[in-house]
Every structure is written in C-alpha cells, then in structure tokens.
C-alpha cells in the first residue's frame, strides 16, 4: 500500500513540475516569437507577393501563347492551297452591306444573332478587295472558327479575333450587325497597333475601358507573317483584368491598413485595394475609354513624353510611381523585392515591388510596420490565454482521471495481457506495479508481430487474386475486340459489312453538312455475277468477289470507306473531296483497273459497273444511297463495264 501511494505522489509531483515548465517555456517562447516574426515578416510578404505575381504571369503567358498559336494557324491556312476554298465563289456567302463594311452572315438563316452569342462575326471594312481574295479569306475564317471558340471557352475572358492586313475581321463571340456597322479600318485601331511588329512577337496594349461594358481590358496582339516575311494580319485576344487585379491585390493585404495597387510600366493605375483610391481611379479613367490616370508627377511624366495624363491627388503615390518606374529594370522572370524608398511618407511602411514580365505590370504593396507587430502580439496573447486555460484544465482533469482510472487499471490490464499472451485463458487478477511499462511494451509488441504476420499473409492472397482477375480482364478484352471486329467485317472479303458501312455513311453525311465538306458515294456491282454463280458455282463467285475487292483496295485511299453491301454489291465513301469531279476520276480508274487485271473464267472477263452520287445540301444518308443505287441501274441499262453519275 505504501509503495502504491508513493508512486501516486511521484506522479502528482511530475504533473506540477511539468505545468511550471510549460509556463516558463511559454514565456521564453513569447520573446522568441516576437523576434522570429520581425525577421520572417518580410520573407513571408515577399513570398506571398511573388507567388501571386507568378500565378498571374502564368495566366497572362497562357493568353500570349494562345494568341500566338491562333496566328500561326491563320498563317498555315493562308499558305496552303485548298481547291474547295478557291472554287467557292463570293456570291455563295450571305452578307449585309453599308458604306463602311460588308457584314457576312454565313452561319445563320436568321437576320442576325444576339450580342456575345456563341458564334463568329466576319466583317470586311475595306470594300475595294477583289472577289477572289474576299472569298478566300472567308473560307479560311470558316476553318479558324473552332480555334477561336476553343480559346475563348478555355479562358473566361471577352473577345478573340483575327484582323487581316486587308481590313477583314473574324470576331468571337458574336458582334451583331447593329454594333459592327460603324467599324472602319480596323488596321488603324489600337488593338492592331498593339502587336510588336519590330520583334514579330506578342505585344500588350495599355489597359483601357471596354465600350461594350466589360470593364477594364487589356489586349494581347500577335503579328502574322508569311514565309516571305510579308505581313498577313494580327491575331488579338482581349481579356478582362478586373478579376485578375482583384485576385492579385486581395491576396497581398493580409495586414491591417496595408494597401496594394497595380500599375502599368508607364505608371497607369489599373486597380487598388483602397476604396478611396479606387473612387479616384474610376472617376478619372471613365472620362475616356483608354484610361489616363497615372501615379506620376507631372514633371517626370512630361520628361518621359506623357503630356496629357491625369495624376493622383495623393502626391506621395505620384512620387513613389516616379521612383519605382525610374529605377526598376525589366526582368525575364517574376521578381519581388523589398523597396527602400526615400519618400518620407513611407518611412513607417514595409514596401514590396513585384514585376509581371509578360505585360510589364508592377505590383506595389505597402504594409504598416505597427500592424505586423500589433497583430503578432495580439495573436500571441490570444494563443497564450487559450493555451493557459486549456493546459490548466487539462492538468487538473487528467491528474484526477489518472489517479482514479489509470494507475490501478493499468496494473490489471498489464497482468491480464501478459497471461493472455502466454496462452493462459484463465486470468487471475492481482495488483502489482513491478515492471509495469516493460510488460506493457512486450505485450504490445507481441500483438503487433501477430498482426503483421496476418497482414503479410492477407496481402499475398490479395495479390494472387488480383493477378488472376487482371488475367481474366485481359482475356475478356481480347474476346470483345475480336467480336467487335467480326460484327463489323465481311467474313469473305475482310472489308466493312453493310451495317457498319451505313453507320459510317451517316456520320460522314452529318460531318459534310456541318463543315461544308464534299463527299461522294460510289456503288460498285460485278457484272453478270449471278450468271457466274449459276454457271461455275459459288467457289468461283467468291473468287471473283475477292479479286475485285483486291483491285479496288489498291486503287482507293486508305481514308476512303470501302464495304460490301450484299452479294456482288459494294459501296465506297470518298471523303474530303477538294473537287466533286474527282469522284468521276476515281470511278473511271476503278473500272479501268478491273478491266486491265481481269479474272478470266471460261474465256470471259469479269468487269464492274459503278455509280456515283455526290452529296447535296438536302441529302441525308438514305437519299444519297437511293440516288447512287438509281445511277447503278442506269449504268447497267447502258451497257455495263462503265460508270454513271446522278
């Protein structure tokens, strides 16, 4: 009994000593915490500002790369020779005209779409272009439309557009005729001139207010040159920077009374976290869409060629703008630095300056030194008070709980665990404090060893079962692939069967109408095939079918679709025809090839008859097939071994 009480007193004494040790540690931690905060605050602010600037720079760089890719696509299409582009005359394109523009409405049977709908607008400002040039540009624009849609849908911004050197514009999303009819000479506009023609790279325009109501915009423009270094036009992307500016600035104002603002490389103010500053910015910038409000002194601005700007009423911000712009050097990568300003108004502030290389924008943050210290002390006091109350309560509660429910139960659990580990099922409990922790650890290790052994055995079984399941999955996949091929392929000729051929025909007809692509359906029939079967048997008939299929396969493109429709009848889908007349050449070549490589049966050569049906605007797959079938019968009536077109 005395030994048990002694252990309890020692246990209680340890609690008291530990409590005072923690209290003393908290006191020293407080002083150390203040020193660490003072030393780390600047690093944290730099890290935060730099990371935010990196994120924005990456987003703007993506915009720059996307507009460059758009320009390169235009260049590629402009240099390639597409027959169907040349052959589509201008009168096939619908348009509305006035004295300034021709507004093309190829994509709708309506008079017009709604503003900013998911469509493209095509506007010609220079009305002195020859018809062939205009028709070519229109058809190139048709092929560029998916690229513009993809860029605009990927980034939740405002406008994507191409301006050709001959004043022809392709714009996405849609600008109705009523909004576009006053557009004149786009090659003389600010967004066109924003391109970096000197270095032939992406150029960024100074921020401006959007006349369509999308807030503050900035334009990335990329000049497009052909292989002869002749200018073809400019690809542009307008992006809304209000949300970007808020994202940048809000993440930098983590301390009370701190202010962050974003300026261009010329000092034009884009945004600020201060409401008073923002009211001044919006009041002055909305007087003209290009925006004219700067953090610059008039004297310094005039020396740098900025004669017509409006400066802030906050003189210390104007001086700071002059100081930063005059000393900061352009960087290739995002750079954030502590700024040692000589301006007296900022003596009690920590100044940070970050550069965004893609646009040259400058992020400036100034944080009151007192707000860092006061915030740190306040936080520490709150933490200290909470910890003190929590630790005191915990110590009192845990001491009482340990005395009543830990020491004695531990002895019982220890003895029970030991005897159970030895395999004894009848447990006789007795009080003993000798070797308490050692026995508990040994008992725990015994249980861990048993658990690990069982776990290892279980993992082996799971692995074996997994391998068996994977083998079964692979086997079933192989079977599925074979069955899929069998279901789509003609067993005799190993070309597509009737069902899968018409499935492909439906898709190709839909694609033809959607993208204005010419396709043709050729029907092939072996002449007098029934006579061959009846006279020489089905073996010779099968040989004749394989012979004809082999010759046709050698004389058509791999992207053409070739299938057996039944018996001696075959179908060929000729896709992506640059000229509808090409289908006649294909048919003529096939008839001639079979004639020149005959399968002779009893001095009789096997020939074929072919019908041709080029797709029309009103066609679906059924009407296209019916016309081709009629043409086949017409060809047979006219003598066989020939082709006929309807």
């Amino acid at each position: 009994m005395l030994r048990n009480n002694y252990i309890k007193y020692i246990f209680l004494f340890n609690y008291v000593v530990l409590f005072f040790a923690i209290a003393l540690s908290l006191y020293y931690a407080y002083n150390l915490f203040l020193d660490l905060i003072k030393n780390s605050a600047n690093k944290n602010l730099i890290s935060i500002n730099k990371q935010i600037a990196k994120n924005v720079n990456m987003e703007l760089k993506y915009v720059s790369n996307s507009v460059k890719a758009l320009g390169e696509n235009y260049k590629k299409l402009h240099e390639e020779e597409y027959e169907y582009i040349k052959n589509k005359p201008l009168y096939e394109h619908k348009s509305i005209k006035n004295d300034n523009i021709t507004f093309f409405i190829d994509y709708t049977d309506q008079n017009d779409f709604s503003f900013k709908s998911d469509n493209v607008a095509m506007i010609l400002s220079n009305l002195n272009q020859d018809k062939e040039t205009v028709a070519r540009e229109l058809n190139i624009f048709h092929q560029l439309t998916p690229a513009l849609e993809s860029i605009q849908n990927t980034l939740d911004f405002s406008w994507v557009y191409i301006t050709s050197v001959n004043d022809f514009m392709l714009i996405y999303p849609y600008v109705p005729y009523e909004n576009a009819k006053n557009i004149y000479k786009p090659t003389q506009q600010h967004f066109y001139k924003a391109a970096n023609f000197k270095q032939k790279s992406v150029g960024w325009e100074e921020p401006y207010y959007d006349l369509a109501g999308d807030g503050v915009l900035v334009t990335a423009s990329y000049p497009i040159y052909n292989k002869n270094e002749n200018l073809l036009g400019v690809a542009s992307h307008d992006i809304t920077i209000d949300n970007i500016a808020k994202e940048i600035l809000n993440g930098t104002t983590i301390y009370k009374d701190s202010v962050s603002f974003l300026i261009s490389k010329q000092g034009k103010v884009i945004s600020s976290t201060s409401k008073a500053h923002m009211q001044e910015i919006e009041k002055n910038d909305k007087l003209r869409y290009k925006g004219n409000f700067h953090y610059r002194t008039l004297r310094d601005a005039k020396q740098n060629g900025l004669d017509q700007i409006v400066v802030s009423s906050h003189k210390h911000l104007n001086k700071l703008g002059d100081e930063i712009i005059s000393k900061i050097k352009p960087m290739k990568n995002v750079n954030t630095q502590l700024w040692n300003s000589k301006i007296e108004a900022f003596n009690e502030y920590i100044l940070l300056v970050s550069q965004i290389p893609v646009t040259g924008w400058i992020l400036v943050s100034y944080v009151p030194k007192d707000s860092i210290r006061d915030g740190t002390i306040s936080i520490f006091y709150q933490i200290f008070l909470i910890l003190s109350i929590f630790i005191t309560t915990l110590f009192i509660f845990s001491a009482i709980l340990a005395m009543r429910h830990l020491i004695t139960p531990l002895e019982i659990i220890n003895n029970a665990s030991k005897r159970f580990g030895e395999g004894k099922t009848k447990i006789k409990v007795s009080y003993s404090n000798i070797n308490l922790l050692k026995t508990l650890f040994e008992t725990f290790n015994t249980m861990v060893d048993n658990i690990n052994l069982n776990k290892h055995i279980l993992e082996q079984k799971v692995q074996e079962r997994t391998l068996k399941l994977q083998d079964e999955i692979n086997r079933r996949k192989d079977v599925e692939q074979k069955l899929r091929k069998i279901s789509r392929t003609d067993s005799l000729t190993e070309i597509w069967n009737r069902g899968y051929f018409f499935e492909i025909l439906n898709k190709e007809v839909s694609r033809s109408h959607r993208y204005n692509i010419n396709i043709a359906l050729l029907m092939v029939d072996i002449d007098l095939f029934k006579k061959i079967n009846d006279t020489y048997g089905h073996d010779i008939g099968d040989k004749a079918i394989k012979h004809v299929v082999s010759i046709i396969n050698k004389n058509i493109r791999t992207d053409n679709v070739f299938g057996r429709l039944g018996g001696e009848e075959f179908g060929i889908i000729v896709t992506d025809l640059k000229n509808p007349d090409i289908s006649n050449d294909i048919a003529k070549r096939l008839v001639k090839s079979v004639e020149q490589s005959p399968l002779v049966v009893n001095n009789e050569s096997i020939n074929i008859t072919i019908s041709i049906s080029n797709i029309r605007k009103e066609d679906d797959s059924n009407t296209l097939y019916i016309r081709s079938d009629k043409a086949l019968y017409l060809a047979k009536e006219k003598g066989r071994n020939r082709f006929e077109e309807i």
Side-chain angles (χ1 to χ4, degrees):
M1 180 66 70
L2 181 62
R3 182 177 295 176
N4 289 341
N5 290 335
Y6 179 75
I7 293 175
K8 292 177 182 178
Y9 293 147
I10 293 295
F11 186 79
L12 181 60
F13 178 74
N14 288 336
Y15 260 90
V16 174
V17 171
L18 183 60
F19 177 79
F20 281 104
I22 292 175
L24 187 63
S25 299
L26 286 173
Y27 172 76
Y28 284 106
Y30 167 70
N31 293 292
L32 180 62
F33 186 69
L34 288 179
D35 292 337
L36 290 174
I37 286 297
K38 291 177 183 178
N39 294 329
S40 65
N42 292 349
K43 292 182 179 179
N44 290 338
L45 288 170
I46 290 174
S47 177
I48 292 170
N49 283 33
K50 187 172 184 178
Q51 186 58 48
I52 292 173
K54 278 184 176 180
N55 293 341
V56 175
N57 187 70
M58 183 171 62
E59 195 164 351
L60 294 174
K61 194 171 184 179
Y62 181 83
V63 173
S64 179
N65 291 338
S66 68
V67 77
K68 185 176 180 180
L70 179 62
E72 292 301 318
N73 282 340
Y74 177 84
K75 171 186 175 182
K76 180 180 178 181
L77 290 172
H78 199 278
E79 291 180 347
E80 292 180 356
E81 294 294 332
Y82 289 94
E83 292 296 330
Y84 66 90
I85 288 180
K86 287 184 175 181
N87 291 337
K88 186 167 184 178
L90 184 59
Y91 65 80
E92 290 188 15
H93 297 276
K94 297 178 291 184
S95 63
I96 305 172
K97 295 183 179 181
N98 62 26
D99 293 338
N100 291 330
I101 69 167
T102 300
F103 187 85
F104 293 93
I105 50 174
D106 285 359
Y107 285 99
T108 179
D109 294 328
Q110 310 171 27
N111 291 330
D112 212 347
F113 289 114
S114 60
F115 183 72
K116 293 189 76 172
S117 61
D118 293 333
N119 298 282
V120 293
M122 294 181 287
I123 307 163
L124 175 62
S125 178
N126 186 347
L127 303 180
N128 295 323
Q129 301 293 316
D130 63 90
K131 294 181 179 180
E132 183 178 349
T133 300
V134 174
R136 178 176 175 78
E137 289 288 350
L138 277 170
N139 285 277
I140 291 175
F141 281 178
H142 273 271
Q143 295 175 78
L144 273 178
T145 296
L148 271 71
E149 292 177 354
S150 176
I151 292 173
Q152 203 275 343
N153 291 332
T154 302
L155 301 172
D156 188 17
F157 296 142
S158 295
W159 307 97
V160 185
Y161 47 96
I162 290 278
T163 307
S164 70
V165 74
N166 53 11
D167 287 301
F168 209 158
M169 290 189 73
L170 174 68
I171 307 175
Y172 185 89
Y174 193 72
V175 179
Y177 173 72
E178 287 300 318
N179 299 85
K181 63 184 180 181
N182 294 321
I183 294 178
Y184 185 66
K185 296 290 183 182
T187 54
Q188 299 177 12
Q189 300 302 319
H190 61 94
F191 53 78
Y192 190 89
K193 296 178 180 179
N196 192 338
F197 296 101
K198 184 177 181 180
Q199 297 182 0
K200 298 180 180 178
S201 61
V202 176
W204 290 84
E205 188 181 12
E206 288 280 294
Y208 59 92
Y209 271 87
D210 181 37
L211 297 177
D214 282 328
V216 180
L217 301 182
V218 66
T219 300
S221 293
Y222 175 70
I224 310 166
Y225 292 86
N226 63 14
K227 59 186 177 183
N228 296 322
E229 300 298 321
N230 296 322
L231 182 65
L232 301 177
V234 170
S236 301
H237 192 170
D238 295 345
I239 61 173
T240 304
I241 62 173
D242 286 347
N243 293 335
I244 296 178
K246 290 178 182 178
E247 178 185 341
I248 299 173
L249 301 179
N250 291 339
T252 60
T253 54
I254 60 175
Y255 291 104
K256 182 182 178 182
D257 298 327
S258 61
V259 175
S260 295
F261 60 84
L262 189 64
I263 59 176
S264 71
K265 57 187 175 183
Q266 296 295 332
K268 181 184 290 185
V269 187
I270 300 171
S271 188
S272 173
T273 58
S274 169
K275 292 183 179 180
H277 295 174
M278 279 304 300
Q279 289 174 357
E280 184 182 33
I281 294 167
E282 292 172 355
K283 177 181 177 182
N284 286 280
D285 270 351
K286 286 186 177 179
L287 297 177
R288 49 188 297 184
Y289 89 97
K290 285 287 282 183
N292 205 28
F293 185 71
H294 290 64
Y295 282 162
R296 302 293 295 272
T297 61
L298 288 174
R299 179 180 177 182
D300 191 82
K302 288 181 180 179
Q303 291 176 354
N304 288 275
L306 302 173
D307 296 329
Q308 304 298 323
I309 68 170
V310 177
V311 300
S312 173
S313 60
H314 303 282
K315 294 182 180 180
H316 63 289
L317 294 178
N318 294 334
K319 292 179 181 178
L320 181 62
D322 287 347
E323 183 180 77
I324 292 173
I325 292 170
S326 63
K327 293 182 179 180
I328 201 166
K329 297 180 180 180
M331 306 289 288
K332 292 184 178 180
N333 299 313
V334 173
N335 180 52
T336 300
Q337 57 183 304
L338 286 173
W339 192 267
N340 296 318
S341 177
K342 296 181 180 179
I343 302 170
E344 186 176 354
F346 293 102
N347 287 344
E348 295 301 317
Y349 290 87
I350 296 175
L351 271 168
L352 298 103
V353 177
S354 303
Q355 288 179 275
I356 301 174
V358 173
T359 56
W361 295 347
I362 303 170
L363 170 63
V364 182
S365 301
Y366 54 95
V367 183
K369 296 177 182 178
D370 289 341
S371 69
I372 297 176
R373 182 172 56 254
D374 294 343
T376 302
I377 295 174
S378 176
I379 292 171
F380 186 84
Y381 281 159
Q382 293 176 23
I383 295 173
F384 180 79
L385 180 61
I386 293 171
L387 284 176
S388 298
I389 295 172
F390 175 76
I391 291 172
T392 302
T393 304
L394 181 63
F395 266 81
I396 295 172
F397 180 76
S398 63
I400 296 172
L401 192 66
M403 290 294 183
R404 297 181 61 182
H405 302 287
L406 180 61
I407 297 176
T408 301
L410 273 177
E411 294 175 354
I412 298 172
I413 293 172
N414 175 61
N415 292 328
S417 299
K418 182 179 179 181
R419 296 180 68 183
F420 187 81
E422 292 172 350
K424 297 179 180 179
T425 57
K426 294 182 179 181
I427 301 174
K428 191 173 182 179
V429 178
S430 62
Y431 291 94
S432 175
N433 293 311
I434 301 174
N435 295 327
L436 178 62
L437 294 178
K438 181 180 179 181
T439 306
L440 183 62
F441 291 157
E442 289 174 350
T443 303
F444 177 79
N445 289 334
T446 300
M447 288 191 298
V448 169
D449 290 339
N450 291 334
I451 292 172
N452 287 335
L453 178 60
N454 292 331
K455 180 182 177 182
H456 179 70
I457 295 171
L458 181 61
E459 286 177 346
Q460 285 183 330
K461 291 182 178 180
V462 170
Q463 186 176 10
E464 290 172 0
R465 181 59 180 164
T466 301
L467 291 174
K468 290 180 180 178
L469 288 174
Q470 188 62 50
D471 291 338
E472 179 62 17
I473 290 170
N474 292 336
R475 187 189 67 79
R476 292 189 180 188
K477 285 183 177 179
D478 291 338
V479 171
E480 288 174 359
Q481 289 178 353
K482 292 176 181 178
L483 290 175
R484 188 180 296 110
K485 183 176 181 182
I486 291 171
S487 68
R488 294 178 174 179
T489 307
D490 177 67
S491 59
L492 176 64
T493 60
E494 294 185 351
I495 61 176
W496 301 127
N497 60 24
R498 180 184 181 90
Y500 190 61
F501 179 87
F502 279 99
E503 184 179 331
I504 297 175
L505 180 60
N506 286 330
K507 293 179 181 178
E508 289 298 327
V509 169
S510 297
R511 190 170 73 93
S512 171
H513 290 317
R514 184 175 182 182
Y515 297 107
N516 197 20
I517 298 172
N518 290 317
I519 68 170
L521 175 61
L522 278 63
M523 299 279 288
V524 181
D525 187 270
I526 300 176
D527 293 339
L528 302 175
F529 182 77
K530 187 176 184 304
K531 179 181 177 182
I532 295 172
N533 265 344
D534 293 342
T535 305
Y536 305 106
H538 290 283
D539 288 341
I540 300 300
D542 290 347
K543 185 176 181 180
I545 289 174
K546 289 182 179 180
H547 177 73
V548 171
V549 167
S550 174
I551 294 172
I552 292 175
N553 267 327
K554 293 176 182 178
N555 286 273
I556 60 174
R557 299 199 317 262
T558 56
D559 57 341
N560 292 149
V561 182
F562 182 29
R564 185 181 181 189
L565 306 184
E568 73 278 19
E569 188 174 303
F570 305 89
I572 303 172
I573 305 171
V574 184
T575 60
D576 297 317
L577 282 172
K578 297 178 181 178
N579 187 332
D581 294 334
I582 293 176
S583 59
N584 292 339
D585 298 334
I586 294 173
K588 186 184 300 182
R589 184 171 70 249
L590 293 178
V591 171
K592 187 175 181 180
S593 297
V594 173
E595 187 177 17
Q596 291 177 348
S597 303
L599 176 66
V600 179
V601 179
N602 199 21
N603 296 324
E604 291 182 8
S605 297
I606 293 175
N607 296 310
I608 60 172
T609 298
I610 299 178
S611 67
I612 305 168
S613 182
N614 287 296
I615 194 165
R616 299 174 181 172
K617 291 182 178 179
E618 67 275 14
D619 273 337
D620 56 21
S621 59
N622 187 46
T623 57
L624 183 64
Y625 171 75
I626 290 172
R627 284 197 291 105
S628 185
D629 194 50
K630 289 180 179 178
L632 183 64
Y633 280 103
L634 181 62
K636 288 181 178 180
E637 289 176 0
K638 290 185 177 182
R640 306 179 186 273
N641 193 27
R642 55 180 285 114
F643 67 91
E644 198 68 28
E645 177 183 8
I646 293 182

